[in-house]
Amino acid sequence: MTFLTLRRTAALAAAALMTLSLAACAGAAEPAGGDETGAPEKANLTIAINPSSQFAPLYYGIEEGIFEKHGLTLEITPQTDVASIVSGVASGTYDFGFATVVHVLTANANGIPLRAVSTIEGQIQPDDEGTITIASPTSGITDYGDLEGKRVATVGLSSHNTLTLWELASREGVDAGSIELVQMPFGQMAAALANGDVDAAVMQWPFAADALSAGGVTLGYNNREIFNGAATTLFNTSQSFIDQNPKTVRAFSDAMIESIEGASANEDAARSALEKGMGVTAAQAAAARWNIGGDPHLTVTGFETARDLLVKFGTDQSLTDALKNLDVDSVVWPGALEN
């Protein structure tokens, strides 16, 4: 079993890091000094996301003019490969991008200075349904303990969802290394389950609704079991962007907090914004799940939990050692933490 050496991410980001280093040597602009008050230095932002219903707060904030109120205009770029998002943020292709606590930790352990600046849907609550493991209706699987030697779809072989899958299966006595992982986008998983191409899948909404309506069996809700009270999905940027654009980072973080709170208070409006923003049907938007009511602020708890699991399941000794020595506080922009 191999896990999260992030070879692809590291390779993709290597060129980006070299570019950043060369820019610094060539006389890049001095950092803005950390002043977070006033108009954003950069108003037009490119945001990379891995589309799912957890972005309802983001779309709500756009639709309701919250980002505009904070002086920002967002261009949303859907991207199913989180490794490409990480490298894109490191290179400056994207100003902010989606990544989980797992990706942020492993990026930093590989020398990529990714910084979490905001949660996407707040801290996970005890009733969170956002990430769900579903078994094929013909597989005979009824719980995580039945996954020994089974084929399971996951959005990334080195993903947060893979890590939670392994942990929940191992708690039931399963050898996590026996699970055969099949990488595919969320949108293809329901069909793969129905066709018997995979035995189970770790899914997000609104795609999970299609799998359940076809008879899929719920095994559990991954994040609520492992990350209760912690944020797992994040918007991130590079340390270089923070140094040069402190007002922009503050404006984006404040707008996300307001959007998360607004989406929880106005669920119907958030679903309408999700329908428009993601291009899903009204029925899909109505069936969507996200962490409604979650505290929008960031803590380091999720990073600590993820680091422990990465060390537990890791097979790359150099990466494991780097993770053990990584200060989790350093991967979070301080302004994102609740006072």
Side-chain angles (χ1 to χ4, degrees):
M1 175 176 65
T2 59
F3 185 64
L4 283 171
T5 57
L6 277 192
R7 292 187 180 90
R8 183 179 181 191
T9 300
L12 287 170
L17 289 172
M18 183 176 292
T19 300
L20 293 173
S21 298
L22 290 172
C25 293
E30 291 296 320
D35 180 11
E36 298 172 7
T37 61
E41 299 88 353
K42 185 174 184 181
N44 298 314
L45 302 175
T46 301
I47 315 294
I49 69 169
N50 188 356
S52 73
S53 61
Q54 67 186 316
F55 291 99
L58 173 70
Y59 287 118
Y60 172 86
I62 295 171
E63 188 70 14
E64 295 296 317
I66 293 173
F67 288 95
E68 183 179 4
K69 183 182 72 174
H70 287 272
L72 303 174
T73 300
L74 308 186
E75 178 185 344
I76 306 301
T77 301
Q79 173 62 265
T80 60
D81 185 355
V82 180
S84 294
I85 295 177
V86 170
S87 63
V89 170
S91 68
T93 301
Y94 308 126
D95 299 309
F96 296 91
F98 162 83
T100 68
V101 287
V102 169
H103 294 103
V104 174
L105 287 172
T106 51
N108 279 275
N110 279 304
I112 303 169
L114 199 66
R115 303 290 180 256
V117 301
S118 169
T119 67
I120 286 175
E121 55 178 349
Q123 298 169 21
I124 299 298
Q125 300 175 99
D127 62 349
D128 174 64
E129 297 180 341
T131 301
I132 178 174
T133 301
I134 301 174
S136 164
T138 60
S139 67
I141 297 171
T142 59
D143 59 39
Y144 289 103
D146 295 330
L147 293 178
E148 186 87 29
K150 301 300 184 181
R151 289 168 54 84
V152 181
T154 181
V155 72
L157 303 183
S158 299
S159 71
H160 173 88
N161 289 350
T162 299
L163 189 68
T164 59
L165 169 73
W166 281 347
E167 172 62 11
L168 291 170
S170 68
R171 290 180 183 181
E172 299 299 322
V174 173
D175 175 8
S178 74
I179 298 174
E180 182 181 351
L181 299 176
V182 180
Q183 183 174 359
M184 68 177 63
F186 293 125
Q188 297 178 12
M189 291 182 181
L193 287 170
N195 294 334
D197 296 330
V198 294
D199 301 301
V202 187
M203 301 189 69
Q204 292 279 354
W205 303 82
F207 314 105
D210 295 332
L212 293 175
S213 65
V217 178
T218 299
L219 303 187
Y221 299 94
N222 298 39
N223 284 334
R224 77 158 75 158
E225 297 293 335
I226 300 174
F227 287 93
N228 183 24
T232 62
T233 55
L234 316 160
F235 275 124
N236 311 275
T237 192
S238 67
Q239 184 61 55
S240 175
F241 188 88
I242 293 172
D243 291 341
Q244 301 302 323
N245 303 280
K247 300 181 182 70
T248 302
V249 175
R250 168 55 65 188
F252 182 81
S253 175
D254 287 347
M256 275 305 304
I257 289 173
E258 188 174 340
S259 297
I260 292 168
E261 292 175 336
S264 293
N266 302 278
E267 187 178 330
D268 289 343
R271 293 185 185 281
S272 177
L274 183 67
E275 179 184 349
K276 179 179 179 181
M278 275 189 60
V280 298
T281 66
Q284 287 176 317
R289 302 285 186 274
W290 71 92
N291 188 41
I292 299 170
D295 185 329
H297 297 91
L298 188 57
T299 70
V300 298
T301 305
F303 293 101
E304 293 169 340
T305 300
R307 181 178 59 182
D308 291 344
L309 294 177
L310 284 165
V311 170
K312 175 180 178 179
F313 291 106
T315 58
D316 184 312
Q317 190 60 50
S318 62
L319 179 61
T320 298
D321 290 342
L323 287 164
K324 288 179 178 178
N325 294 321
L326 182 65
D327 177 8
V328 295
D329 291 339
S330 68
V331 306
V332 180
W333 171 61
L337 299 173
E338 185 175 17
N339 294 327

